[in-house]
Amino acid sequence: MDYTESILDSIKKLLGPSVDYNQFDQDIITHINTALMDLNRIGIGPSEGFSIKDSSSVWKDFIDDLTKFEGIKTYVYLSVKLVFDPPSNSSVLASMEKRLDKLEWTLNSTVNTDEV
């Protein structure tokens, strides 16, 4: 993960639109912020919360120790994808939801292990 890469731009790349195509930026930003709120709920990110407004926020702004949390980018991507552009195939949808649940469990476990 490039820790200095824009959160918005990296999620847009994974979703498919060009970084320069900004027609859906506000929608994507809204869904990114929801995913970041979910991560904050399990103890990841700044204790006061975190949200993005545009492409100026980078992953390093959200979390300092990214080495333990490589799944964050995937978690945010899957969270956004499931709301912004969900797959029409129910098997693919179920697989993505299962992966998202596993990532949340893994990230939560990592946070709780570090607190002990």
Side-chain angles (χ1 to χ4, degrees):
M1 179 189 302
D2 180 359
Y3 308 129
T4 61
E5 182 179 25
S6 161
I7 295 171
L8 175 61
D9 291 350
S10 63
I11 297 303
K12 281 173 64 174
K13 282 183 213 172
L14 291 168
L15 290 171
S18 162
V19 173
D20 298 330
Y21 186 74
N22 58 13
Q23 177 120 9
F24 297 108
D25 279 8
Q26 193 54 52
D27 298 9
I28 295 169
I29 287 168
T30 298
H31 302 315
I32 288 171
N33 285 335
T34 300
L36 295 176
M37 179 190 72
D38 290 342
L39 288 167
N40 188 260
R41 176 182 49 81
I42 62 171
I44 298 172
S47 59
E48 67 277 3
F50 185 84
S51 64
I52 69 168
K53 294 176 181 39
D54 53 33
S55 62
S56 64
S57 296
V58 298
W59 291 104
K60 187 78 171 157
D61 296 335
F62 176 63
I63 188 165
D64 293 332
D65 187 5
L66 292 159
T67 57
K68 295 180 187 173
F69 299 102
E70 289 291 329
I72 288 175
K73 190 174 185 180
T74 303
Y75 180 89
V76 173
Y77 160 68
L78 286 173
S79 295
V80 173
K81 174 78 174 166
L82 287 172
V83 178
F84 179 73
D85 185 23
S88 57
N89 182 304
S90 61
S91 297
V92 174
L93 177 63
S95 176
M96 289 175 74
E97 288 172 336
K98 185 176 179 179
R99 183 66 186 142
L100 187 64
D101 287 344
K102 183 175 181 178
L103 274 169
E104 185 169 341
W105 183 88
T106 302
L107 292 167
N108 188 23
S109 296
T110 303
V111 168
N112 290 331
T113 301
D114 289 347
E115 291 175 358
V116 175

